[in-house]
């Protein structure tokens, strides 16, 4: 069963997933990176460009999903280096530190709360998030075109692309596509007809929506909604 709540870290979400039956399922691109706990291990999920299919064996997971663009500063690694990857935290931070953090998480009342405490400690010692990146996310999440967003923020296209690679793991056009998918899924899950969903979220038509869902999620929209709710 999946559950989530807002984190005390601004913009982040704390979540748990204890599946019953098969553990396999798609984790969809969302523009975010996560700090993960899995059966005592600490990992980092990089930004995805397509659905990540979890292992078939049921396992308990917990995580902190960071607001898009904020995790690289906390981790000290550019997002594009972790694109479409799940890596051990020990590959990114000193082993002695990871052991201390794992002990903290495993000693907490629950792993999710322990992960949140780790994230809050990191944030307290890091530089504040770049406000421009949050503005980029807000504009693209609202459906603004990439070129118009760059103009409104008075940043050149090349600079925006470079900063996006570091912060989000891919360029602003890919981020816009991922966020558009999330907007469309929210409407479709609420019962909005597919054609209306496509029109309201900036797709050319329903066929365009269907192609994007298949490319990003790896399955048709109807099957995706049935599997992910």
């Amino acid at each position: 069963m999946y559950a989530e709540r807002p984190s005390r870290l601004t913009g982040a979400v704390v979540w748990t997933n204890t599946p019953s039956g098969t553990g396999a399922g798609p984790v969809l691109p969302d523009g975010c990176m996560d700090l993960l706990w899995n059966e005592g291990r600490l990992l980092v999920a990089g930004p995805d460009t397509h659905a990540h299919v979890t292992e078939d064996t049921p396992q308990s997971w917990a995580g902190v999903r960071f607001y898009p663009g904020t995790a690289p500063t906390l981790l000290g690694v550019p997002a594009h280096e972790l694109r479409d990857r799940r890596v051990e935290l020990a590959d990114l931070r000193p082993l002695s530190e990871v052991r201390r953090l794992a002990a903290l998480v495993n000693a907490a009342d629950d792993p999710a709360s322990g992960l949140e405490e780790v994230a809050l400690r990191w944030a307290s010692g890091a530089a504040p998030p770049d406000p421009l990146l949050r503005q980029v996310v807000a504009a693209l999440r609202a459906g603004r075109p990439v070129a118009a967003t760059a103009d409104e923020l008075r940043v050149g296209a090349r600079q925006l692309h470079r900063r996006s690679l570091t912060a989000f793991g891919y360029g602003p056009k890919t981020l816009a596509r991922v966020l558009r998918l999330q907007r469309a899924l929210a409407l479709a899950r609420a019962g909005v007809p597919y054609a209306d969903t496509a029109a309201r979220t900036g797709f050319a038509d329903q066929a365009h929506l269907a192609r994007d869902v298949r490319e990003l999620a790896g399955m048709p929209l109807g099957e995706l909604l049935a599997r992910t709710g």
Side-chain angles (χ1 to χ4, degrees):
M1 182 177 67
Y2 177 84
E4 66 177 42
R5 63 172 172 82
S7 171
R8 288 177 289 151
L9 179 63
T10 302
V13 172
V14 178
W15 59 268
T16 59
N17 190 20
T18 307
S20 57
T22 178
V27 178
L28 301 180
D30 56 9
C32 301
M33 294 173 58
D34 294 56
L35 175 63
L36 306 173
W37 174 92
N38 172 232
E39 309 292 350
R41 301 161 56 216
L42 297 182
L43 306 97
V44 174
D48 291 326
T49 59
H50 52 77
H52 172 79
V53 179
T54 59
E55 297 179 3
D56 193 48
T57 304
Q59 296 182 354
S60 295
W61 290 83
V64 174
R65 182 177 306 116
F66 298 102
Y67 189 83
T70 60
T73 299
L74 304 182
L75 292 168
V77 59
H80 63 80
E81 292 187 8
L82 301 177
R83 185 172 51 233
D84 293 321
R85 298 175 62 198
R86 293 340 183 231
V87 302
E88 299 280 349
L89 183 60
D91 291 339
L92 306 176
R93 307 290 284 241
L95 182 58
S96 59
E97 177 189 356
V98 174
R99 286 173 174 165
R100 289 196 303 272
L101 296 178
L104 183 155
V105 173
N106 291 322
D109 291 339
D110 60 85
S113 296
L115 289 175
E116 183 179 29
E117 183 60 34
V118 170
L120 288 166
R121 290 187 182 188
W122 282 348
S124 68
D130 183 346
L132 182 136
L133 298 174
R134 188 172 288 270
Q135 291 174 299
V136 169
V137 173
L140 298 182
R141 187 171 275 166
R144 296 290 294 154
V146 171
T149 297
D151 289 343
E152 290 164 3
L153 297 178
R154 297 182 179 180
V155 59
R158 290 184 180 180
Q159 183 185 10
L160 178 59
H161 186 82
R162 183 172 61 253
R163 293 171 74 169
S164 293
L165 284 177
T166 299
F168 309 121
Y170 31 63
K173 289 185 178 180
T174 298
L175 177 62
R177 191 177 180 218
V178 166
L179 296 177
R180 181 176 62 182
L181 172 68
Q182 292 292 331
R183 295 198 309 276
L185 290 178
L187 291 178
R189 287 179 179 131
V192 176
Y194 293 172
D196 291 343
T197 291
R200 289 170 58 179
T201 51
F203 290 91
D205 50 30
Q206 185 175 334
H208 183 198
L209 168 63
R211 287 195 303 273
D212 249 32
V213 170
R214 186 177 288 276
E215 290 177 13
L216 292 171
M219 63 187 71
L221 179 55
E223 180 182 346
L224 176 63
L225 294 176
R227 294 184 64 177
T228 61

